Amino acid sequence: MRKAGFLIAMALLALPATAMAQADEYSKSALKEMAPKWQAAYNAGDAAGLAALYAEDGALHPPNSAPVDGREAIHAFWTTVMESGGSTELTVKDVYAMGESAAEVGMWVGTAADGSHADHGHYTIVYKMVDGRWQIASDMWNSDMSP
């Protein structure tokens, strides 16, 4: 009887871990759609659509620059950046889902409006769940090119 009780207790303890793992796999699947959405909005010059991917209290951390806090300021930042034209290609390396938070790491390549190579580097994005959907909480990137 003791052994049966122990086995039942262990099974009950394992259920939340299994459910969490399944939820994290579901989240990873949903998160894999975020980079293509970001890239499409950026490449279309859609600053409003791009800003909508960020949480209201989200932040950008551009290289060699002060942080940009809040969706409205993020919208203004991307509007200014997009005025020069060009495009960005993202390559996602890993996505980590951790309950109501997640992270994505990858590489980016920027192309100037004339088609020339503009810059390239790495990025890390932290996501948070807001009203049942993933939004960008923090977006940080760097350039791999020498100044």
Side-chain angles (χ1 to χ4, degrees):
M1 187 67 167
R2 255 182 155 174
K3 188 175 183 180
F6 176 76
L7 291 174
I8 290 170
M10 294 307 293
L12 290 174
L13 288 173
L15 285 176
T18 302
M20 181 67 103
Q22 289 173 342
D24 286 347
E25 284 306 311
Y26 173 77
S27 292
K28 283 173 120 177
S29 175
L31 287 160
K32 287 182 181 177
E33 298 174 13
M34 293 297 288
K37 286 180 183 178
W38 191 100
Q39 183 174 304
Y42 183 90
N43 292 344
D46 181 6
L50 189 56
L53 298 174
Y54 291 81
E56 193 64 44
D57 61 349
L60 297 178
H61 304 278
N64 305 311
S65 182
V68 178
D69 296 318
R71 188 182 291 151
E72 187 174 320
I74 290 168
H75 178 260
F77 175 89
W78 288 125
T79 297
T80 301
V81 169
M82 290 176 183
E83 287 174 355
S84 63
S87 62
T88 297
E89 181 181 337
L90 302 177
T91 303
V92 177
K93 299 303 270 178
D94 266 315
V95 175
Y96 307 93
M98 302 158 278
E100 295 288 308
S101 299
E104 173 184 303
V105 294
M107 300 178 307
W108 62 273
V109 176
T111 303
D114 66 3
S116 65
H117 178 83
D119 202 349
H120 64 277
H122 293 78
Y123 71 89
T124 300
I125 295 177
V126 176
Y127 294 97
K128 67 180 181 176
M129 186 64 73
V130 179
D131 297 329
R133 68 182 196 127
W134 289 109
Q135 292 187 329
I136 300 171
S138 179
D139 183 356
M140 179 180 287
W141 67 97
N142 72 337
S143 170
D144 290 347
M145 294 177 62
S146 299

